[in-house]
Amino acid sequence: MSSSNTTVSTGGLPSRRNTELAMLVFAVLIPVFAYANVGLAKDESLPAGMLGYGLGLGLMAGVAHLVVRRWAPYADPLMLPIATLLNGLGLVLIWRLDQEPQITTDALGGPMAADQLIWSTVGLALFLGVLVFLKDHRILQRYTYISMVVALILLASPIFIGEEINGARIWVQVPGVGSLQPAEFAKIIIAVFFAGYLMVKRDALALASRRVMGIYLPRGRDMGPILVIWAISLMILIFETDLGTSLLFFGIFVVMLYVATERTSWIIFGLLLSATGAVLVASTNAHVGDRVHNWLNPLEVHANGGITETANVMYSFGSGGLFGSGLGQGYSRLIGGIGAKSDYILATVGEELGLAGMMAVILLYALLIERGMRTALAARDPFGKLLAVGLSGIFAIQIFVVAGGVTGLIPLTGMTMPFLAQGGSSVIANWALIALLLRISDTARRPAPAPAPSPDAEQTQVVRA
Amino acid sequence: MNKPMRRVSVFCGLLILALLLRVNWVQFVQADELQNDANNRRVNIERYAHPRGDIIVDGEPITGSEEADDPDYRYQRTFTDGEMWAPVTGYSSQAYATSMLEGVHDSILTGDDDRLFFNNTIDMFTGEDQRGGNVVTTLNADAQRAAFEGLGDAKGAVAAINPMTGEVLALASTPSYDPSSFSGNDGDDQEAWQALESDEDKPMLNRALRETYPPGSTFKVVTAAAALEHGAVEDVDTETDTPDPYYLPETNNVELPNLSDTSPCEDADVRTAIQYSCNTVFAKLSDEVGNEQMRETAEEFGFNQEHFVPIRTEASSYPEDNRPQNAQAGIGQASNRATPLQMAMVAGAIANDGTLMQPYMVDQLVAPNLNVIEQHDPEEMSEPLSAENAQMIQSAMETMVEESDAIDTSALGDVRVGGKTGTAQRGENNEEIPYAWFISYAMTDEGSPVAVAVVVEDANVDREDVSGGGLAAPIALDVMEAVLADEDAG
């Protein structure tokens, strides 16, 4: 069955909607049990909001499922359950951290689970909106250059109207709504632009190149847009000190370029550019330098004698061990600050659910990426392929950069775990991302329309008087 | 486009694989190291998450645990009569770690000890919180109180042992401190700790075990033992051929004076020399025995080594030295230094007919369910002198006490009491107030149940009034009285 998914098939594939429904039941039950677990561990009683939370999550999943059944019946059956499960677990983890008074003070924004639930609902609404109103993803192709402009405006907005929080300038205050992270939305829009642009230019980029020392080098005029993207990435890095986002954008451009042109030389070219940029920034920007220093010396005590967040995160993971302390029984609050619920949410996973839980969560993300890549392979049109690769790639790079940063594999950058971490922009944008992937996979797996009837094959019509 | 897409998928797979390897590395390979890192606050949180076991004296706990308001540390250590017991218990502070018995037997008290594994496992199944085990000491509360109150405001220390077993009965050190005052981790605790740290009187120094003093004349019983053992004198009633004045050997006629010019020290026998504390006689005997053999006997008494009772003691010292220094070391001056416990061991070995028992203060380690997980049995440490020689020195020490006007043993009842006073000089040219010493033992028909060493550093008296007999002996007598009263009652 799985092999048939990868090839374009005109046969009537099963819609797999019932599989999705069964999976969704688990995706709702697991967070509900986790919620009960936290309550039992903290107060030895079932938490009061459990019924409401369970019904809410169940209702959201149910509505999403019905909409998918109606408007995207051939969509991939696993993506919605995985996203629901991660979103549900994220809500439990945030609620669980809300129970720690030390990191839930008014100065730190108070309890956040309720707000996060509202943002999740908004995200889900956007998800439904995309599925209902975007009948075909190829419609997006028309907005290639508008997408570029919108993405650039979003990316640049924090420089002009944003404020600096924790050394990074990535937030924009919207009156009455709160702070938003425009980069989270920009990443989807820029994938749309890349897909549209590369679909048109791929032949020029792939074929019109000169061979120098065994490597095909692109022509100067084709190189232009790439250098522009590179410059934008560097600008984000320098003006917004947002290492993660610039890495994400440049990384995804290289990936999509490679897929579109099938030329390895683009990867070498891209890696050269990013290496140059990284060295340039690391040597001039103190903030990035600090991050690298903390990465190399994770347990070093701060100059003022305090224990760094990085060290506390490592202690969280180490103390979790193989099976973790159990939900509600860890001390990841020692990380302190707002980071515990957002950037460092994985530390709570690692400490309370242990190595086992950590691997399970990473594998959930891996599965989501795999389904995305499979959608790209199965898609029938180049735009859909490129967009699906782009969106899955964004997901993969973001997971790697965040989880790698938190666990100390690479220097820490300020991005959040999709669905799991606290943050409205992130959860809304990622629900939209999943909706786009579902739309592409629905188109890919939909049975091909019956061949147009051939006049020759038709029976002679009897003309009745 | 499918070929590069497959490659990109493989690349994403590699990224995930790298993440999986990394979390395995951090949460499996490095886990123990991170978990027990000194800066990981969880270590202390875990440690104070349940009540600590107690330190027991005479069947009663002298420590406790009370619930604290701190969000991280649920329990805080309390101490009953903290100042009195501080040299025994040490402290257990959330902010400043542990010391003394609290430190040595920390794993038993927290319940983390491997030997409590089965207990913990059973507790886990029965749903009970982990509990700490108890440390049952050999100390005697009445003796300890007598020692601590006897020292009062004076600076000094008392060590009392049972010569027959080596059990430590009392360990007092003044000025002392209340370990409860900094057992938490807030501002008050920090203030209390810093005040104690900067106090010039060093209240946190365990003088009974961790401070060495020149033992002064109390060391003369060791010199007497060495002289008898190595044949420098035949017995304690044979006259020695000692001139008065005596000049230190190999010096340009440096005279070693006696305490009083009227003392009958010329050619005095050992009994008389002990009674009048003749410097001349013992300096000469030490010189005759020689540095090497003096050291040998001193070491058999426990000098030149640390002891673990199980708290580590400072090593007392009788070092390798030249002749004039060795002669002076023989009267407890020069390079000779001893802890109060060491001098109690000296008195104890004499009282126990020449056999020195290993001193110890922890009788049992008891699991929370009252199973005994470790029992300490008395052990012989060495035999510094023969029973015959020991009894001769006993007789001389008893003569000293009987003939002394300052020492009144009537309160002790029908026991023989032997003792030796000491007044150790200190400071350049003996300028500072000397240390007053007294070592003694009480002897019943069944042997000696108690030997005590008392040192008073600074009793706020004029230097003329400092004397072992006057300042230190009454404390020793009180301690012995307390032990004997318990023996009778028990």
Side-chain angles (χ1 to χ4, degrees), chain A residues 16-341:
Chain A
R16 310 298 293 280
R17 289 279 69 80
N18 293 334
T19 313
E20 181 183 81
L21 184 61
M23 290 293 159
L24 269 176
V25 171
F26 286 108
V28 171
L29 281 182
I30 292 170
V32 170
F33 283 134
Y35 196 73
N37 190 340
V38 174
L40 288 171
K42 293 298 266 185
D43 310 321
E44 298 184 353
S45 66
L46 289 176
M50 192 173 139
L51 194 66
Y53 169 78
L55 285 177
L57 195 64
L59 194 70
M60 278 161 63
V63 170
H65 172 72
L66 289 177
V67 167
V68 171
R69 207 175 256 272
R70 167 72 179 77
W71 277 282
Y74 294 94
D76 187 280
L78 275 182
M79 285 196 232
L80 177 62
I82 293 173
T84 307
L85 176 57
L86 287 170
N87 198 166
L89 279 180
L91 285 168
V92 170
L93 289 171
I94 293 163
W95 179 77
R96 178 259 168 279
L97 288 168
D98 278 348
Q99 308 306 304
E100 303 290 352
Q102 292 95 331
I103 53 167
T104 313
T105 58
D106 287 340
L108 293 175
M112 289 170 167
D115 280 355
Q116 185 68 11
L117 187 60
I118 295 173
W119 291 127
S120 305
T121 315
V122 174
L124 200 77
L126 187 58
F127 168 89
L128 301 178
V130 169
L131 285 183
V132 172
F133 295 109
L134 187 69
K135 298 277 186 232
D136 191 321
H137 60 267
R138 276 166 292 194
I139 296 169
L140 293 174
Q141 208 176 329
R142 296 180 205 152
Y143 304 108
T144 301
Y145 290 95
I146 294 176
S147 299
M148 183 185 76
V149 174
V150 172
L152 285 181
I153 291 173
L154 283 174
L155 279 178
S157 58
I159 303 178
F160 303 108
I161 56 169
E163 54 181 320
E164 188 167 314
I165 300 174
N166 299 327
R169 198 180 187 91
I170 53 176
W171 301 88
V172 171
Q173 286 292 338
V174 181
V177 180
S179 39
L180 285 178
Q181 245 179 308
E184 288 285 349
F185 300 98
K187 71 182 184 190
I188 300 176
I189 299 174
I190 208 133
V192 172
F193 160 64
F194 285 161
Y197 172 78
L198 291 172
M199 200 200 75
V200 176
K201 296 281 173 145
R202 54 192 283 245
D203 290 335
L205 287 168
L207 304 174
S209 53
R210 284 165 298 167
R211 197 182 150 96
V212 179
M213 289 189 297
I215 297 170
Y216 290 96
L217 281 185
R219 293 183 306 185
R221 69 175 112 146
D222 297 326
M223 215 140 63
I226 298 154
L227 289 175
V228 167
I229 295 295
W230 181 68
I232 292 170
S233 300
L234 276 184
M235 265 163 57
I236 299 169
L237 193 54
I238 291 165
F239 291 108
E240 303 177 24
T241 42
D242 189 355
L243 193 64
T245 307
S246 49
L247 196 67
L248 181 66
F249 284 7
F250 201 71
I252 202 57
F253 187 56
V254 171
V255 165
M256 290 174 75
L257 202 53
Y258 169 62
V259 171
T261 61
E262 310 194 15
R263 287 252 179 262
T264 320
S265 53
W266 282 109
I267 292 183
I268 296 166
F269 189 64
L271 289 179
L272 272 176
L273 282 181
S274 46
T276 316
V279 171
L280 202 73
V281 169
S283 54
T284 55
N285 191 313
H287 180 69
V288 177
D290 283 354
R291 290 279 168 88
V292 173
H293 180 86
N294 280 346
W295 170 57
L296 294 173
N297 311 284
L299 301 186
E300 194 180 71
V301 173
H302 194 271
N304 65 15
I307 296 158
T308 58
E309 282 186 348
T310 318
N312 266 323
V313 168
M314 294 311 284
Y315 294 146
S316 259
F317 282 119
S319 306
L322 288 181
F323 301 108
S325 61
L327 277 171
Q329 297 175 62
Y331 292 96
S332 51
R333 67 174 159 79
L334 293 175
I335 296 165
I338 51 168
K341 292 175 193 171

Side-chain angles (χ1 to χ4, degrees), chain A residues 102 258-259 262 301 307 314-317 319 321-322 331 333 350-351 355 358-359 382 385 389 404 407-408, chain B residues 1-2 4-5 7-9 12 15 19 22-24 26-28 31 34 37 39-42 45 71-72:
Chain A
Q102 292 95 331
Y258 169 62
V259 171
E262 310 194 15
V301 173
I307 296 158
M314 294 311 284
Y315 294 146
S316 259
F317 282 119
S319 306
L322 288 181
Y331 292 96
R333 67 174 159 79
E351 175 160 6
L355 176 60
M358 209 38 202
M359 300 224 291
K385 275 181 180 299
V389 154
T407 55
Chain B
M1 274 194 267
N2 281 4
M5 245 166 359
R7 285 195 182 144
V8 168
S9 303
C12 290
L15 291 184
L19 286 180
R22 176 63 189 176
V23 292
N24 272 279
V26 172
Q27 296 206 260
F28 180 64
L34 288 168
D37 192 281
N39 287 328
N40 188 345
R41 206 169 155 86
R42 289 165 190 78
I45 290 178
D72 280 356

Side-chain angles (χ1 to χ4, degrees), chain B residues 409-420:
Chain B
T409 62
S410 56
L412 272 63
D414 187 22
V415 291
R416 291 184 285 139
V417 176
K420 180 73 197 83

Side-chain angles (χ1 to χ4, degrees), chain A residues 295 298 310 313-314 317 343-344 346-347 350 355 358 362 399-412 417, chain B residues 18-27 30 34:
Chain A
W295 170 57
T310 318
V313 168
M314 294 311 284
F317 282 119
D343 292 17
Y344 299 125
L346 275 181
L355 176 60
M358 209 38 202
I362 291 174
I399 302 305
F400 178 74
V401 167
V402 180
V406 174
T407 55
L409 182 62
I410 56 171
L412 188 71
M417 240 18 216
Chain B
L19 286 180
L20 290 176
L21 289 176
R22 176 63 189 176
V23 292
N24 272 279
W25 178 259
V26 172
Q27 296 206 260
Q30 285 190 318
L34 288 168

